[in-house]
């Protein structure tokens, strides 16, 4: 019988501003709304209290929080204790790159006004908390293809042509 | 106004968001939202049919409101309508709404599933991906029921687009995590494993997450993935930085995939095939070499990605724990990181080294970094990094450096962050006890601990110092002197008063000869603290006072006066009043002889495993204990008679006995002059790996057994010499019917823990005999016998146990079990040893019961009832109706039935209150299929239990065993 590490699962990703306003939340484990709000409140407080130059990782409850600040926004992932912190940090960075490329030097306002796009991009990149497609080109291709479809009336099979 | 409005701008939405942003107060925001909600509600209810665009816009507004933190209780239907829109963006918004605001409303789930089904069947990749994303985001049981069988087909079909495959793989992973019973890979297994060879890196990246999770649960079926993963990894590691085009990230080829490959390999032991293993070792070496190369870019992303792979590789090296060369190289690499300018790397290096410290190959290499780690503890600016440094110091501590490390931790405590003080205190207390060579050092350390961080010193810690002082007469005088000095401080912590009170009450006489600490001075010192203390401490001090009357008759009148005063004898606290009254009376009427007997010095405490260690484990939470312990804890937690608390304690006891030589063992080892440390490390490393095939002792034991048989046992102890089984042995046996691990037996002297595992008709059981006393057990021997016809039914093999069990030590014995045919009796375990002069002779029933050889069988309702009818001969059935002994909690019942080893079949019995189970008992001679039905009657607090199997004895025995469980 083989002794295995338990399956690891990213628990959630939160984007919030320096003022503590939540801009995006993605939950990869089932939790009640009440619990989600409680976690968000606690975590935003904890992360905002940290000084610059501190380590990007911190233990929180029995999870590990990996976070990084980009301009006015904090990007914050909760992973399990045994999971890889550095690669998670780069997941955050790649997501920022994707947003940046899509919006053209992204800022907080883009994410506020186009929150749905931020979700779509995230879903193309990470699904169920796992990297689905790490190539920047491929993710953006998928999103742009969808944008092209926006006002096209979709008949039976004419989609394949696009 | 929006800075960018890309894609399809929804003007109304942008205006609304601007409005909200312009709100000056929370009230204004709520007002604006309520206005919008009213507007949307009227639009949805209006007579005029909304066009798709408006519907999308309003649904999107609702979503925005929800994400602001407000509750949304309508709009779900409109969102579901959008799913079947023929406009892509409308569909997309519909899916987003559903993903974020899942509602278990069954009516809607049916509609949602219907829309998903259509999109999956559309053969339009963009639609299929949307539908798969939605399933992956929601991941509910209902969705698993609807799609778990369809998605594997999509995943492996030859004509599926790559992007759809990627989504399908991760979608399936999510469903597997929520409903593993519904995702059956079966025929797809090998095609899924071969996705590791896919040309498209994105497909491999997605698929490997699924494969890793499936491998963790079914390692045997997926083990071909090892060689595929190694060759994929090798290709990536050796590729030039431009080979992988867009999958290269800041000059690092495929970092995410590399990490996932290394993680997958951690599900398996080192590859057996020499060529594969060689290739893998080469990969690991290359990764370590690359860490030494100059960076290809100055960007932090480059070094992060590179080091992410490095840390995952080191995790794999530690997991294998078999390549000393790689372990030491890993340690050296981490040593470099300890001084890196990046805080993140210092943090990770400290963390990773903690695991390396526990490997025998790298423990010494880790120790060479002690000075760096100590300076990290002192100088790091970030508390999370300091915490890691403290953890590492704890992990690298051994006899050689204990004094230095304890001293450093103590001085750190003076300024340590409040959040980590309690844990630090426990760690210092444990190390001080574990590595105490002279006890004055131990006493000093603990008293310092109380002085520096008294608030964080839990009861366990100060109880423990008293236990040790009482048990060791060579330290008692020193302890009395030291507490006396410590109490001189004008403000000392209440815990110090407690320890001081207790110790002076017992051993104050040892320092009373010195006029500076005469009895009266001792008393006055203690009593000066009395009024500042809490009730429990005052109660303790009152007991000290009466002890003083016995120790120092000259203090009698002073103390009696104190007891007699109103604040004592009429104290409003009942406990204090009672003590004062009783002690006063005792001191006035009892003769000196009686007083001396009643107030005699405390007898030595029975040696037991340190409660501090258990406390640290509890505090550390599930993260600190390994998977199997955790599982045990959970299982016990679900039990009625076990009780959660006890279950965890038992687990912690076993765990701590297993993973570290028990602290008491070390202390006592010193006294008896035997190096307790020598046997312990090898035993402990064995125990940690109790379930791994790699454990070196297990296989050889099997090989030798056939020759040795039980001859040495049987000649020294004939069966007739064995005592009859203890009266409670049946009860003890019943405790283990639904679980495999726990404490089998415990008395004043001996504790016996059990861990066992079964496969098919074979089993292996580990017995742990722990000597709870401080004295050696001599002539220790054990014998397993199979009485009567059990001899031909069950084969139990073991080697003789060690003849001497040191005080406080633990020995392990492995039993190999083979079930030849079904059986009803339990084998007997007889234990004999000499403790002091007396021969101890204990016979127990070994918890090996027929249900341990169950293989669970899943079957449909139809199959179940068909087989149920086939087994209709009267002798094939056994039935019992009995009163519930515990609360009738469905979850607990389920946990027990699963613990029994059968499959619990859902939706089979027409009455949802009932439980039905199916399984096959594997014996060497034949397999016996069994069906079980348990019908609880909550009103009458009764159960009816029915067993049917092809063998009458099996039905009967299972029925007997189970009737005791509920």
């Amino acid at each position: 019988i083989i002794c295995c590490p338990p399956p690891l699962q990213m628990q959630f990703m939160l984007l919030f501003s320096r003022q503590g306003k939540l801009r995006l939340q993605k939950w990869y484990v089932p939790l009640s709304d009440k619990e989600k709000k409680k976690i968000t409140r606690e975590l935003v407080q904890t992360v905002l209290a940290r000084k610059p130059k501190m380590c990007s990782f911190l233990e929180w409850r029995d999870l590990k929080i990996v976070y990084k600040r980009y301009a006015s926004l904090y990007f914050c992932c909760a992973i399990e204790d045994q999971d890889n912190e550095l690669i998670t940090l780069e997941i955050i960075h790649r997501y920022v790159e994707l947003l940046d490329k899509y919006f053209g030097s992204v800022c907080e306002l883009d994410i506020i006004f186009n929150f749905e796009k931020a979700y779509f991009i995230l879903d193309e990149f990470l699904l169920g908390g796992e990297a689905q497609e790490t190539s920047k080109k491929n993710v953006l291709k998928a999103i742009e293809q969808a944008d092209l479809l926006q006002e096209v009336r979709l008949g039976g099979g004419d989609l394949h042509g696009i | 106004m929006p800075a960018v409005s890309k894609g399809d701008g929804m003007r109304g939405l942008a205006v609304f968001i601007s409005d909200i942003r312009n709100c000056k107060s929370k009230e204004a925001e709520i007002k604006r939202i309520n206005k919008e909600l009213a507007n949307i509600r009227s639009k949805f209810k209006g007579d005029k049919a909304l066009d798709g665009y408006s519907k999308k816009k309003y649904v999107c507004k609702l979503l925005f409101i929800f994400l602001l933190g407000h509750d949304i209780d309508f709009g779900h239907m409109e969102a579901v309508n959008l799913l079947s829109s023929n406009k892509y963006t409308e569909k997309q918004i519909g899916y987003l709404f559903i993903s974020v605001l899942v509602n278990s409303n069954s009516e809607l789930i049916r509609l949602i599933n219907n829309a998903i089904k259509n999109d999956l069947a559309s053969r339009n990749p963009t639609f299929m991906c949307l539908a798969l994303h939605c399933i992956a985001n929601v991941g509910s049981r209902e969705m698993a029921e609807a799609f778990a069988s369809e998605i594997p087909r999509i995943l492996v079909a030859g004509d599926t687009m790559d992007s759809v495959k990627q989504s399908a793989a991760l979608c399936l992973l999510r469903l597997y995590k929520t409903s593993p019973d519904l995702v059956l890979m079966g025929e797809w297994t090998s095609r899924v494993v071969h996705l590791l060879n896919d040309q498209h890196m994105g497909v491999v990246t997605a698929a490997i997450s699924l494969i890793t999770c499936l491998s963790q649960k079914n390692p045997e079926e997926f083990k071909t993935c090892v060689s595929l993963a190694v060759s994929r990894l090798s290709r990536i590691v050796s590729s030039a930085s431009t080979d992988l085009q867009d999958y290269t990230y800041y000059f690092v080829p495929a970092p995410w995939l590399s990490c996932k490959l290394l993680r997958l390999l951690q599900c398996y032991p080192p590859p057996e095939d020499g060529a594969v293993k060689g290739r893998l070792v080469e990969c690991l070496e290359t990764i370590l070499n690359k860490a030494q190369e100059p960076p290809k870019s100055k960007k932090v992303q480059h070094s992060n990605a590179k080091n992410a792979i490095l840390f995952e590789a080191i995790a794999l090296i530690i997991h294998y724990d078999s390549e000393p060369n790689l372990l030491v190289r890993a340690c050296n690499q981490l040593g470099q990181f300890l001084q890196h300018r990046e805080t993140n790397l210092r943090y990770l290096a400290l963390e990773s080294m903690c695991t390396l410290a526990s490997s025998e190959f790298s423990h010494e290499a880790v120790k060479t970094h002690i000075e760096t780690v100590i300076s990290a503890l002192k100088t790091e600016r970030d508390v999370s990094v300091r915490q890691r440094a403290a953890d590492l110091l704890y992990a690298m501590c051994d006899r050689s450096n204990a004094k230095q490390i304890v001293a450093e931790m103590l001085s750190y405590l003076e300024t340590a962050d409040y959040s980590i003080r309690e844990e630090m205190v426990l760690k210092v207390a444990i190390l001080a006890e574990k590595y105490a060579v002279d006890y004055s050092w131990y006493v000093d350390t603990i008293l310092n601990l109380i002085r520096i961080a008294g608030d964080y010193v839990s009861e366990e810690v100060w109880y423990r110092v008293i236990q040790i002082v009482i048990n060791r007469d060579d330290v008692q005088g020193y302890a009395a002197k030291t507490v006396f000095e410590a109490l001189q401080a004008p403000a000392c912590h209440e815990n110090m008063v407690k320890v001081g009170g207790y110790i002076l009450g017992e051993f104050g006489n040892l320092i009373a000869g010195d006029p500076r600490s005469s009895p009266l001075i001792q008393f006055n010192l203690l009593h000066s603290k009395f009024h500042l203390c809490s009730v429990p401490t005052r109660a303790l001090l009152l007991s000290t006072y009466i002890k003083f009357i016995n120790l120092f008759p000259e203090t009698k009148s002073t103390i009696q006066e104190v007891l007699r005063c109103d604040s004592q004898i009429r104290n409003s606290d009942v406990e204090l009043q009672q003590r004062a009254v009783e002690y006063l009376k005792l001191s006035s009427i009892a003769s000196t002889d009686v007083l001396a007997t009643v107030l005699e010095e405390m007898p030595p405490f029975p040696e037991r495993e340190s409660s501090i260690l258990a406390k640290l484990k509890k505090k550390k939470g599930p993260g600190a204990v390994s998977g199997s312990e955790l599982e045990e804890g959970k299982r016990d937690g679900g039990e009625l008679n076990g009780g959660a608390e006890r279950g965890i304690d038992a687990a912690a006891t076993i765990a701590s006995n297993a993973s570290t030589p028990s602290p008491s063992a070390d202390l006592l080892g010193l006294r008896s002059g035997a190096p307790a440390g020598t046997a312990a490390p090898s035993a402990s490393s064995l125990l940690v790996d109790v379930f791994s095939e790699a454990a070196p002792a297990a296989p050889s034991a099997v090989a030798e057994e056939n020759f040795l048989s039980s001859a040495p046992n049987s000649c020294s102890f004939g069966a007739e010499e064995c005592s009859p089984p203890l009266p409670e042995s049946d009860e003890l046996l019943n405790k283990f019917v639904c679980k495999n691990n726990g404490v089998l037996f415990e008395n004043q002297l001996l504790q016996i823990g059990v861990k066992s595992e079964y496969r098919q008709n074979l089993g292996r059981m580990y017995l742990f005999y722990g000597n709870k006393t401080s004295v050696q057990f001599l002539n220790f021997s054990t014998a397993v016998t199979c009485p009567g016809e059990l001899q031909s039914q069950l084969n139990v093999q073991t080697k003789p146990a060690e003849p001497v069990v040191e005080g406080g030590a633990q020995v392990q014995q492995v039993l190999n079990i083979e079930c030849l045919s079904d059986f009803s009796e339990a084998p007997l375990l007889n234990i004999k040893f000499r403790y002091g002069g007396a021969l101890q002779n204990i016979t127990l029933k070994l918890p090996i019961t027929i249900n341990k050889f169950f293989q669970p069988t899943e079957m449909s309702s139809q199959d179940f009832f068909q087989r149920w009818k086939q087994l209709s001969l009267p002798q094939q059935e056994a039935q019992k109706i009995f009163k519930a002994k515990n609360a009738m909690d469905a979850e607990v019942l389920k946990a027990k039935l699963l613990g029994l080893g059968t499959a619990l079949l859902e939706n089979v019995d027409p009455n949802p209150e009932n439980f039905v189970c199916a399984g096959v008992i594997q014996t060497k001679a034949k397999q016996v299929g069994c069906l079980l039905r348990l019908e609880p009657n909550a009103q009458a607090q009764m159960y009816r239990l029915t067993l049917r199997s092809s063998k009458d004895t099996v039905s009967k025995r299972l029925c007997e065993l189970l009737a005791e469980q509920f």
Side-chain angles (χ1 to χ4, degrees):
Chain A
I1 295 167
I2 299 144
C3 197
C4 296
L8 298 175
Q9 167 77 54
M10 184 187 285
Q11 312 280 303
F12 54 84
M13 185 193 255
L14 302 177
L15 267 63
F16 51 87
S17 70
R18 267 164 65 192
Q19 289 75 35
K21 290 235 187 251
L22 191 57
R23 296 303 181 202
L24 182 139
Q25 44 175 319
K26 188 80 188 180
W27 303 87
Y28 296 114
V29 284
L31 290 168
S32 69
D33 283 347
K34 205 175 143 207
E35 182 70 3
K36 286 178 187 171
K37 281 186 184 163
K38 187 163 172 256
I39 290 176
T40 309
R41 215 177 319 119
E42 259 181 58
L43 200 61
V44 168
Q45 225 173 26
T46 313
V47 171
L48 287 180
R50 287 176 66 84
K51 300 189 190 81
K53 296 271 176 188
M54 277 189 163
C55 164
S56 311
F57 322 124
L58 64 135
E59 273 110 76
W60 184 78
R61 299 194 181 177
D62 53 353
L63 298 176
K64 200 159 265 171
I65 304 299
V66 176
Y67 74 94
K68 189 162 178 176
R69 185 179 145 184
Y70 288 87
S72 61
L73 267 191
Y74 283 87
F75 288 69
C76 173
C77 289
I79 56 175
E80 284 177 83
D81 188 46
Q82 301 298 308
D83 213 339
N84 192 318
E85 296 92 345
L86 285 176
I87 207 74
T88 311
L89 206 51
E90 294 318 298
I91 280 187
I92 291 177
H93 187 76
R94 169 104 315 171
Y95 182 46
V96 173
E97 286 186 344
L98 288 166
L99 293 170
D100 195 63
K101 188 98 180 175
Y102 180 78
F103 288 109
S105 49
V106 66
C107 68
E108 193 184 339
L109 279 182
D110 294 318
I111 296 174
I112 297 175
F113 282 95
N114 302 282
F115 67 95
E116 78 283 8
K117 294 288 182 214
Y119 277 97
F120 298 146
I121 295 171
L122 186 57
D123 268 357
E124 289 294 337
F125 173 42
L126 287 185
L127 192 56
E130 297 282 345
Q132 170 171 226
E133 177 55 85
T134 59
S135 149
K136 198 151 67 172
K137 267 188 215 151
N138 289 353
V139 173
L140 290 171
K141 205 165 69 192
I143 294 289
E144 262 142 29
Q145 234 169 27
D147 275 346
L148 279 176
L149 290 174
Q150 54 172 318
E151 292 306 324
V152 179
R153 201 160 257 287
L154 300 167
D158 58 346
L159 228 166
H160 292 287
I162 295 165
Chain B
M1 286 309 288
V4 175
S5 181
K6 208 165 167 171
D8 57 327
M10 285 176 275
R11 217 186 119 66
L13 175 66
V15 170
F16 174 59
I17 296 175
S18 292
D19 283 359
I20 294 288
R21 284 176 53 75
N22 290 332
C23 287
K24 295 275 183 291
S25 64
K26 193 81 198 162
E27 291 71 38
E29 183 184 308
I30 291 174
K31 211 171 141 199
R32 178 67 185 87
I33 285 171
N34 284 337
K35 186 178 150 205
E36 193 64 39
L37 285 175
N39 172 41
I40 299 173
R41 207 175 263 127
S42 75
K43 287 286 194 306
F44 283 169
K45 277 196 184 143
D47 313 327
K48 219 170 66 184
L50 287 179
D51 61 15
Y53 171 80
S54 311
K55 217 182 275 177
K56 173 180 80 170
K57 183 179 72 188
Y58 292 129
V59 165
C60 215
K61 280 182 178 177
L62 286 178
L63 192 55
F64 181 77
I65 294 171
F66 176 78
L67 291 171
L68 280 178
H70 302 267
D71 293 333
I72 294 296
D73 54 6
F74 70 103
H76 299 78
M77 200 50 179
E78 284 73 16
V80 173
N81 284 342
L82 286 176
L83 297 184
S84 39
S85 162
N86 53 6
K87 280 191 184 162
Y88 179 76
T89 51
E90 290 170 14
K91 194 188 271 295
Q92 201 181 21
I93 294 290
Y95 272 125
L96 180 60
F97 185 94
I98 300 297
S99 303
V100 176
L101 276 117
V102 217
N103 195 307
S104 54
N105 185 323
S106 60
E107 183 68 8
L108 279 179
I109 284 288
R110 208 171 43 79
L111 292 172
I112 294 167
N113 280 356
N114 217 11
I116 292 176
K117 199 164 282 168
N118 289 337
D119 282 335
L120 285 183
S122 71
R123 305 182 55 77
N124 172 334
T126 335
F127 284 15
M128 288 171 86
C129 282
L130 272 186
L132 290 167
H133 291 179
C134 181
I135 303 174
N137 281 324
V138 176
S140 66
R141 176 113 196 137
E142 289 88 349
M143 285 193 175
E145 276 161 3
F147 303 110
S149 54
E150 172 66 13
I151 295 170
R153 221 183 308 265
I154 297 176
L155 176 60
V156 298
D159 58 350
T160 305
M161 299 266 293
D162 291 329
S163 61
V164 178
K165 272 190 196 169
Q166 287 166 271
S167 298
L170 293 176
C171 182
L172 196 57
L173 171 61
R174 177 66 194 262
L175 294 184
Y176 184 76
K177 282 181 177 167
T178 36
S179 313
D181 55 318
L182 295 177
V183 178
L184 303 169
M185 297 311 293
E187 46 181 322
W188 311 116
T189 302
S190 108
R191 291 169 75 180
V192 170
V193 171
H194 277 85
L195 289 173
L196 287 177
N197 268 342
D198 203 285
Q199 300 223 313
H200 190 282
M201 293 280 276
V203 172
V204 189
T205 307
I208 191 169
S209 298
L210 172 68
I211 294 167
T212 304
C213 186
L214 291 167
S215 299
Q216 274 156 343
K217 298 288 165 60
N218 325 280
E220 271 307 302
E221 286 149 54
F222 281 82
K223 77 175 174 205
T224 48
C225 71
V226 172
S227 60
L228 292 179
V230 170
S231 59
R232 190 95 212 189
L233 180 68
S234 155
R235 268 178 284 157
I236 296 173
V237 168
S238 57
S239 66
S241 51
T242 48
D243 288 357
L244 303 174
Q245 290 150 5
D246 211 33
Y247 289 93
T248 296
Y249 179 83
Y250 291 88
F251 304 100
V252 181
W256 284 280
L257 181 52
S258 304
C259 286
K260 287 184 177 195
L261 285 163
L262 288 161
R263 172 67 62 172
L264 169 60
L265 291 170
Q266 287 169 59
C267 302
Y268 291 92
E272 281 156 23
D273 181 329
V276 177
K277 185 167 180 198
R279 210 164 165 196
L280 177 56
V281 168
E282 224 168 82
C283 285
L284 295 171
E285 278 169 347
T286 313
I287 293 171
L288 284 166
N289 291 341
K290 279 189 180 175
Q292 296 298 328
E293 287 170 12
K296 292 198 176 70
S297 153
K298 285 212 164 64
K299 288 242 160 66
V300 68
Q301 284 76 27
H302 170 72
S303 71
N304 279 351
K306 198 165 118 177
N307 292 328
I309 299 173
L310 177 65
F311 277 105
E312 206 60 65
I314 292 177
L316 181 62
I317 292 170
I318 296 173
H319 167 77
Y320 287 164
D321 198 13
S322 60
E323 301 282 328
N325 175 32
L326 290 176
L327 281 160
V328 170
R329 279 194 68 186
C331 186
N332 293 339
Q333 182 60 53
L334 294 176
Q336 288 183 19
F337 285 159
L338 285 181
Q339 316 214 35
H340 202 278
R341 59 187 167 76
E342 282 268 330
T343 316
N344 288 347
L345 279 181
R346 295 197 302 275
Y347 173 98
L348 294 173
L350 289 165
E351 179 181 66
S352 190
M353 245 188 205
C354 243
T355 14
L356 273 178
S358 57
S359 163
E360 54 171 317
F361 300 115
S362 46
H363 182 80
E364 287 303 317
V366 171
K367 272 169 62 186
T368 60
H369 299 285
I370 184 165
E371 296 302 333
T372 322
V373 182
I374 287 172
S375 104
L377 186 66
K378 287 179 175 161
T379 58
E380 283 289 350
R381 285 189 299 174
D382 185 344
V383 52
S384 31
V385 186
R386 290 197 295 272
Q387 166 84 68
R388 290 280 75 89
D391 284 351
L392 178 53
L393 281 180
Y394 179 74
M396 65 162 70
C397 191
D398 61 21
R399 221 171 273 284
S400 71
N401 55 19
K403 280 202 174 170
Q404 186 189 6
I405 285 179
V406 166
E408 292 296 346
M409 287 173 101
L410 266 177
S411 79
Y412 174 59
L413 251 180
E414 309 224 24
T415 54
D417 313 74
Y418 295 109
S419 55
I420 63 173
R421 281 196 182 183
E422 189 184 350
E423 196 183 315
M424 289 285 297
V425 166
L426 287 173
K427 285 183 167 164
V428 171
I430 289 167
L431 293 179
E433 180 179 341
K434 193 166 166 186
Y435 299 116
V437 179
D438 72 79
Y439 282 86
S440 47
W441 175 72
Y442 170 75
V443 170
D444 283 342
T445 305
I446 301 295
L447 293 184
N448 264 331
L449 208 52
I450 296 176
R451 194 175 50 74
I452 296 168
D455 280 343
Y456 299 89
V457 172
S458 57
E459 295 195 324
E460 283 87 348
V461 172
W462 75 261
Y463 287 173
R464 188 71 187 154
V465 67
I466 285 173
Q467 275 178 22
I468 286 176
V469 170
I470 285 180
N471 288 13
R472 300 200 49 99
D473 43 23
D474 55 344
V475 77
Q476 290 159 356
Y478 181 80
K481 180 166 162 286
T482 322
V483 290
F484 179 78
E485 280 161 12
L487 286 172
Q488 303 287 341
C492 60
H493 196 274
E494 190 166 333
N495 278 333
M496 188 69 87
V497 180
K498 289 179 185 163
V499 174
Y502 202 110
I503 288 183
L504 291 180
E506 296 294 326
F507 309 115
N509 55 326
L510 298 176
I511 57 169
D514 187 327
R516 285 167 300 176
S517 49
S518 71
L520 218 53
I521 295 180
Q522 286 187 40
F523 171 74
N524 286 333
L525 179 62
L526 284 175
H527 199 54
S528 68
K529 317 277 180 195
F530 186 90
H531 300 281
L532 298 170
C533 291
S534 63
V535 169
T537 308
R538 283 196 236 172
L540 184 152
L541 285 177
L542 290 179
S543 300
T544 303
Y545 298 169
I546 186 72
K547 287 225 158 193
F548 268 23
I549 290 182
N550 174 47
L551 284 180
F552 317 118
E554 66 266 40
T555 59
K556 183 168 171 177
S557 58
T558 317
I559 291 176
Q560 280 182 332
E561 212 168 294
V562 168
L563 293 176
R564 203 177 289 127
C565 76
D566 276 358
S567 63
Q568 308 295 355
I569 213 161
R570 294 187 201 284
N571 195 295
S572 60
D573 185 89
V574 184
E575 177 67 30
L576 291 181
Q577 191 187 97
Q578 187 177 355
R579 284 193 192 209
V581 170
E582 286 177 2
Y583 291 162
L584 184 62
K585 205 72 188 161
L586 181 68
S587 68
S588 23
I589 58 170
S591 70
T592 358
D593 281 358
V594 172
L595 215 54
T597 318
V598 174
L599 301 169
E600 201 181 6
E601 189 181 310
M602 289 292 286
F605 286 85
E607 274 305 331
R608 63 180 85 126
E609 193 247 335
S610 164
S611 49
I612 313 177
L613 206 57
K615 166 133 181 156
L616 180 68
K617 289 207 159 73
K618 247 188 233 165
K619 195 174 155 43
K620 277 298 228 179
V625 286
S626 75
S628 62
E629 291 160 23
L630 196 64
E631 216 174 281
E632 184 181 342
K634 270 189 202 150
R635 233 187 282 163
D636 277 344
E639 248 178 62
L640 292 169
N641 49 8
E645 185 71 45
R646 248 183 60 208
I648 291 163
D649 273 351
T653 314
I654 292 191
S656 53
N657 287 348
S659 56
T660 41
S662 115
S664 54
D666 274 44
L667 290 175
L668 294 157
L670 287 168
R671 173 191 277 180
S672 62
T678 52
S682 65
S684 65
S685 63
L686 244 177
L687 296 184
V688 173
D689 262 343
V690 119
F691 287 142
S692 98
E693 291 279 32
S700 69
V702 181
E704 280 167 77
E705 266 338 301
N706 298 336
F707 301 102
L708 292 171
S709 93
S710 55
N713 286 6
S714 54
C715 64
S716 55
F717 287 106
E720 53 293 341
E721 262 185 64
C722 295
S723 60
L726 294 175
E728 67 267 33
S729 59
D730 273 313
E731 200 184 310
L732 297 172
L733 178 78
N734 279 329
K735 265 175 42 187
F736 284 84
V737 169
C738 295
K739 65 175 186 177
N740 286 334
N741 306 327
V743 175
L744 175 63
F745 171 79
E746 182 157 25
N747 66 8
Q748 296 280 303
L749 308 175
L750 177 72
Q751 183 191 55
I752 306 177
V754 177
K755 267 194 177 195
S756 49
E757 42 167 338
Y758 294 87
R759 268 220 167 164
Q760 308 283 349
N761 68 322
L762 300 176
R764 186 175 294 157
M765 178 176 281
Y766 299 81
L767 293 171
F768 305 98
Y769 304 96
N771 181 344
K772 290 169 60 180
T773 73
S774 52
V775 181
Q776 283 184 339
F777 291 163
L778 295 172
N779 299 351
F780 187 84
S781 74
T782 64
V784 177
T785 47
C786 293
E789 58 173 342
L790 189 59
Q791 218 162 7
S792 59
Q793 295 163 338
L794 196 68
N795 188 1
V796 184
Q797 303 270 354
T798 183
K799 273 207 252 186
E802 293 288 335
V804 176
V805 186
E806 295 294 343
Q810 189 188 57
V811 297
Q812 178 198 355
Q813 190 175 30
V814 186
L815 310 182
N816 288 300
I817 304 154
E818 187 185 12
C819 174
L820 304 171
S821 65
D822 73 278
F823 62 94
S824 301
E825 287 304 318
L828 300 177
L829 170 69
N830 176 258
I831 303 130
K832 289 199 182 76
F833 58 91
R834 279 189 190 282
Y835 169 71
L839 177 70
Q840 307 289 322
N841 187 347
I842 301 166
T843 303
L844 298 166
K845 292 197 175 177
L846 270 179
I848 303 171
T849 44
I850 184 70
N851 64 293
K852 300 294 178 195
F853 304 94
F854 255 134
Q855 290 276 108
T857 318
E858 292 287 349
M859 55 178 78
S860 67
S861 175
Q862 197 189 352
D863 286 348
F864 183 87
F865 284 108
Q866 194 182 349
R867 288 195 205 185
W868 184 264
K869 282 191 198 108
Q870 282 165 1
L871 297 169
S872 58
L873 294 173
Q875 64 270 30
Q876 290 174 330
E877 185 185 272
Q879 190 173 72
K880 265 197 181 171
I881 297 171
F882 53 93
K883 195 122 190 99
K885 292 190 202 69
N886 301 295
M888 300 173 89
D889 178 335
E891 289 310 308
V892 176
L893 291 177
K894 272 187 200 167
K896 290 211 168 184
L897 289 169
L898 286 173
L900 183 71
T902 52
L904 185 60
L905 306 176
E906 306 266 1
N907 304 325
V908 166
D909 200 294
N911 179 353
E913 303 297 322
N914 294 345
F915 297 93
V916 293
C917 301
V920 178
I921 288 182
Q922 309 275 343
T923 75
K924 194 178 180 193
K926 61 171 181 175
Q927 303 189 335
V928 185
C930 302
L931 303 174
L932 176 159
R933 189 177 195 195
L934 181 68
E935 299 161 85
N937 180 341
Q939 211 172 1
Q941 289 288 303
M942 300 282 284
Y943 291 102
R944 180 162 68 188
L945 172 70
T946 315
L947 260 304
R948 286 191 180 184
S949 80
S950 47
K951 198 125 192 280
D952 52 348
T953 45
V954 171
S955 303
K956 191 163 155 281
R957 177 62 177 159
L958 283 173
C959 196
E960 280 168 16
L961 286 171
L962 266 179
E964 296 302 318
Q965 300 297 317
F966 303 106

